Structure formats: C-alpha cells, structure tokens
Amino acid sequence: MFCCVSGCLTDGRIYLSASGEEMVSVNTKDTMGIRMLQREDVEVVLLTSSEDPVAQSVTDKLKKRMGCEVVLVGQEPLSDLKSMVKQRNLEWKDVAYMGNDKADVNCLNRAGLSAVPGVLLW
C-alpha cells in the first residue's frame, strides 16, 4: 500500500506556533490502521514530497514508530513508483494507493484499490 502523508494521514491543517513553527496532527486511528495492515503482512510505503517540509518531518517520525519505508516522490508519483512495483514483482491490480492530490490521479487510476480521504465539512 502506498499512502501519501500530507492530506491522507494529516487533516490538511497547518498549525502555527507563536514562534512561527509549523505543525500538523496525525490521527492515531490512521496509525492503528497501518499497524493492522502490517500485521496482515501488507507492506505500507509512506509517500512524501520535497515541497512539503512539515510532512517530511511527520513522515520521519512515523517511519521510526511504525517501520514503514518512506519514499520521496516528485510531481508525477507514478513515474517514481513504477520501478518499486516492478521490483516487488507486483502488478498494479495488487497495489493499494491512497492519495488526495491531482498528482495522485494516475496512481489512483492504476491501483487495484484506490482511496481518497473524505472531505471535512465545516
């Protein structure tokens, strides 16, 4: 399973401290879901972008806590992930992908199981 950190494991909000530090929150239900997948021998790969330094920090912490591989993807994640799918002798029908951005559309369309987080209504 490939899962984008920003917008999938976070709620899309950025909190600013008085000192200007940026923070995001991660729902513990999401981390529990990842652990449940891992217990069923599903490899979970967290995706992040160099354009999102807050997500990178969160991803590093999640990697330590859950042992997930972290992959830095560019503007077209499909280009970056094709080789990973091939190296693991998988077909795209065997891949799950969770994303929330226009850049994720090609992966969402190829994956055997696609997911996009729900939108919060205020």
Side-chain angles (χ1 to χ4, degrees), residues 16-104:
L16 299 174
S17 71
S19 65
E21 184 179 16
E22 294 182 356
M23 297 171 279
V24 297
S25 65
V26 176
N27 192 320
T28 57
K29 291 179 184 177
D30 292 334
T31 58
M32 179 56 76
I34 289 172
R35 285 190 183 109
M36 290 169 65
L37 288 170
Q38 290 171 323
R39 281 195 294 265
E40 296 297 322
D41 293 324
V42 174
E43 180 183 8
V44 178
V45 177
L46 302 178
L47 306 177
T48 190
S49 142
S50 61
E51 298 167 10
D52 192 351
V54 175
Q56 182 63 50
S57 175
V58 170
T59 305
D60 291 342
K61 290 187 182 357
L62 290 172
K63 177 182 177 179
K64 287 179 185 176
R65 285 187 178 187
M66 296 183 294
C68 295
E69 180 178 357
V70 175
V71 174
L72 182 67
V73 294
Q75 292 181 351
E76 180 52 57
L78 180 60
S79 302
D80 300 311
L81 300 179
K82 278 183 178 179
S83 62
M84 288 185 70
V85 171
K86 187 175 182 176
Q87 286 172 350
R88 287 164 170 75
N89 293 319
L90 296 172
E91 295 182 34
W92 277 94
K93 69 179 181 72
D94 302 317
V95 171
Y97 190 94
M98 186 168 193
N100 70 317
D101 198 323
K102 185 177 180 180
D104 299 314

Side-chain angles (χ1 to χ4, degrees), residues 1 8 96-100 108 111 113-117:
M1 176 182 177
C8 292
Y97 190 94
M98 186 168 193
N100 70 317
L108 290 165
L113 176 64
S114 300
V116 177

